[in-house]
Amino acid sequence: MTAQILSGKEVAAAVRAEVAQRVAALSERGVGVGLATVLVGDDPASQIYVRSKHKAAEAAGMASFDHHLPDDATQEDVASLVARLNEDPAIDGYIVQLPLPDHLDPQPVLDLMDPAKDADGLHPVNLGRLMLGRDAIRPATPSGIMRILGYYGIGTAGAFVVVVGRSFLVGRPLAVMLGLKGTDATVVLAHSRTPDLIELTAKADILVAAVGVPGIITRRHVKPGATVIDVGTNRTEAGLVGDVAFDEVSQVAGAITPVPGGVGPMTIASLLANTVQAAEVRAGG
Ligand code: NAP
């Protein structure tokens, strides 16, 4: 069997086209849409991500604002920038690019953001509303994964899903989204203390890997015909690779996301969708 390739690139293009239409509709009403990014330090990967976010925002017709603080910025420096962005009327949504340098704690920074402008959907208010199944700005990467499943018609109701990795950025909110009423998956959230990963993952109809270990998911982890979503973005000497050993797993899976070109482009597309959603709410619908 050779798995169907779930192209995040294709789904992202569709989402971005829809976002551009919504931005244009707001513009006709005299409402501009603005996205800002906060980057602290000079991490090369973060710089690439931030550049891609600006390019995508501008392609969708948004204004984009780039805020770069030095590597030795203090917690107070970041907090005061966040306070300014909260008040800036030109900005509908913004993100603080993670990870922050080691001497900074991301949680107090996220706490200070205006939840209505939280384009990554990581503020406690947005995560809390998600938990309650209420309207919220939803975390960008998990939302991107939900969009891939929806676009390719991969059913979640009654499906047994194993999400490997429980970060607040990806695994944990994704597990909540999949288990909500209306999505109706049966979800298990696995992590580094899960005793027998293969025994669990080999039963999954949908397997999501969000670990950060290249190739940790092998064909032995995968039920024949399962859908495999690879969130891993690992920079190795061989280039960018996922958490899934793509060559062997694509021989047993029914469908699989590639790296690159899978979940990655969806994170940016969902960030744009979150920003236009915030702008629409601010403009009164
Ligand atoms: P993270 O915060 O480092 O979390 C990793 C998770 O994997 C933790 O829950 C950890 O368990 C679990 N884990 C580690 N080793 C394991 C093992 N041997 N078996 C089972 N579970 C194990 O990472 P993250 O931020 O969620 O990111 C995960 C990956 O996704 C990274 O490669 C990252 O670059 C990528 N990512 C990609 C996108 C995108 O847009 N494509 C977005 C975000 C992240 P414990 O909790 O027990 O430590």
Side-chain angles (χ1 to χ4, degrees), residues 48-256:
I48 294 170
Y49 292 139
V50 164
R51 265 202 302 278
S52 311
K53 288 168 187 179
H54 286 287
K55 233 169 102 187
E58 283 155 22
M62 297 180 188
S64 82
F65 304 89
D66 186 5
H67 295 275
H68 191 176
L69 294 176
D71 198 40
D72 60 357
T74 62
Q75 198 84 34
E76 292 69 35
D77 294 333
V78 186
S80 81
L81 176 54
V82 163
R84 269 201 288 135
L85 296 175
N86 285 345
E87 297 305 320
D88 188 338
I91 290 164
D92 296 283
Y94 67 95
I95 62 126
V96 177
Q97 184 66 42
L98 300 177
L100 292 173
D102 286 345
H103 67 284
L104 297 174
D105 184 353
Q107 287 305 335
V109 174
L110 295 172
D111 289 356
L112 289 170
M113 292 177 75
D114 178 350
K117 291 189 174 189
D118 166 32
D120 260 343
L122 297 176
H123 188 281
V125 166
N126 283 314
L127 290 173
R129 291 178 69 95
L130 166 64
M131 187 66 99
L132 294 166
R134 290 167 58 185
D135 283 345
I137 301 180
R138 294 196 168 180
T141 303
S143 292
I145 294 167
M146 298 305 296
R147 286 187 162 99
I148 290 177
L149 296 176
Y151 183 91
Y152 285 101
I154 294 163
T156 51
F160 181 58
V161 183
V162 177
V163 178
V164 189
R166 58 177 164 182
S167 73
F168 82 100
L169 205 61
V170 188
R172 225 177 314 153
L174 177 65
V176 172
M177 282 186 200
L178 285 161
L180 285 176
K181 223 173 178 42
T183 305
D184 301 322
T186 303
V187 189
V188 168
L189 189 55
H191 45 76
S192 67
R193 308 291 301 273
T194 300
D196 191 344
L197 194 62
I198 290 184
E199 203 216 4
L200 206 54
T201 59
K203 295 192 187 114
D205 303 308
I206 300 173
L207 172 58
V208 182
V211 182
V213 176
I216 189 173
I217 301 298
T218 66
R219 64 183 296 151
R220 292 199 304 137
H221 291 80
V222 177
K223 179 166 95 169
T227 295
V228 178
I229 305 288
D230 190 354
V231 188
T233 309
N234 308 298
R235 282 162 211 282
T236 67
E237 279 175 7
L240 197 65
V241 300
D243 290 344
V244 175
F246 182 88
D247 289 347
E248 58 178 76
V249 170
S250 58
Q251 298 305 309
V252 290
I256 187 167

